[in-house]
Amino acid sequence: MTTARHGPKLLILGKQGSGKGTQGARLAAHLGVRHLATGDMLRAAVHAGTPLGREVATVLAAGELVSDELMLDVLDARLNTPDVIWHGFLLDGFPRTLAQAESLLERLGPDGIDAAVELELATEIAVERLLARAREDDRPEAIARRLALYERQTVPVSALFDRLDVLLRVDGNGTPDEVFDRVRGVLDPVLWGTDSAVG
Ligand code: AMP
């Protein structure tokens, strides 16, 4: 579908523990775009005990990926709300596979996305952060599984956006404020033109 969209169309990529959720929420608030975090959507469905939640609960607990078909259904419903079409979006946790990335680009039409920010962080540091946050699906086996899946399935996704010349790589080390400043430093010129990079 090629609905005329108004606001920025952004992605945030990075392995689990890279600070993607924190930076995604901050960035979305800063830009006034909708933060569409697929993991949050799925966890909310599990907690609410909806049919979708019952279907995905065991997949989430194991650290496996939900099927592309199911994920796209969930996402389509959000991408096509007037609110998201008007304000723009920051996708967080999607696309996680090449198939999801290609489906997204098909849905967005020729303009695709404006920028994909990738937070880079060494796996050992990501694991330390994940073990410290103690989310219910953050058992060590599930963490290891998700990090392995990231390498296998999501690295090709960032390579695709790199080829499309919209990938912005950012060092994910440091405090949330430091990382946020770096993200703004690379993203603002893309969104508002090179003048905003000065000062
Ligand atoms: P996250 O909060 O992004 O770490 O996602 C938590 C869990 O939700 C993942 O481990 C997957 O089981 C599922 N999930 C989130 N996004 C996706 C996606 N794009 N494709 C498949 N599964 C997903």
Side-chain angles (χ1 to χ4, degrees):
M1 184 160 146
T2 53
T3 317
R5 293 181 179 273
H6 300 270
K9 298 166 290 177
L10 305 170
L11 309 179
I12 189 156
L13 303 171
K15 64 186 67 153
Q16 286 70 42
S18 64
K20 197 164 49 77
T22 306
Q23 297 299 328
R26 270 180 95 153
L27 195 57
H30 169 68
L31 296 172
V33 304
R34 299 303 173 242
H35 183 210
L36 305 184
T38 47
D40 289 350
M41 290 177 199
L42 296 171
R43 277 188 294 277
V46 172
H47 285 132
T50 63
L52 167 72
R54 287 198 294 276
E55 197 173 340
V56 302
T58 50
V59 178
L60 258 70
E64 301 281 345
L65 292 185
V66 170
S67 76
D68 287 346
E69 196 189 346
L70 198 67
M71 199 66 256
L72 280 160
D73 281 351
V74 172
L75 192 73
D76 271 342
R78 292 299 297 276
L79 273 181
N80 293 322
T81 60
D83 183 48
V84 171
I85 289 171
W86 184 258
H87 292 282
F89 59 80
L90 175 74
L91 278 170
D92 168 356
F94 185 98
R96 266 214 188 30
T97 65
L98 208 48
Q100 289 181 359
E102 283 161 357
S103 303
L104 176 69
L105 291 170
E106 254 170 46
R107 281 162 170 75
L108 295 177
D111 292 340
I113 63 154
D114 301 314
V117 175
E118 178 169 28
L119 296 178
E120 297 187 300
L121 193 71
T123 299
E124 310 83 73
I125 301 176
V127 170
E128 273 172 29
R129 288 187 183 175
L130 288 169
L131 290 172
R133 79 178 178 185
R135 201 172 73 191
E136 68 196 43
D137 57 345
D138 280 344
R139 288 170 299 104
E141 317 83 79
I143 289 176
R145 179 91 193 112
R146 293 205 303 266
L147 287 168
L149 269 180
Y150 183 81
E151 292 302 325
R152 199 169 77 227
Q153 299 200 294
T154 313
V155 169
V157 172
S158 73
L160 169 66
F161 291 113
D162 200 12
R163 283 199 299 281
L164 293 173
D165 221 14
V166 290
L167 189 70
L168 304 170
R169 291 199 172 91
V170 174
D171 177 4
N173 285 289
T175 65
D177 283 348
E178 286 165 349
V179 178
F180 188 60
D181 283 348
R182 276 181 220 134
V183 170
R184 286 188 50 191
V186 293
L187 194 56
D188 283 352
V190 172
L191 292 177
W192 319 120
T194 40
D195 286 352
S196 63
V198 180

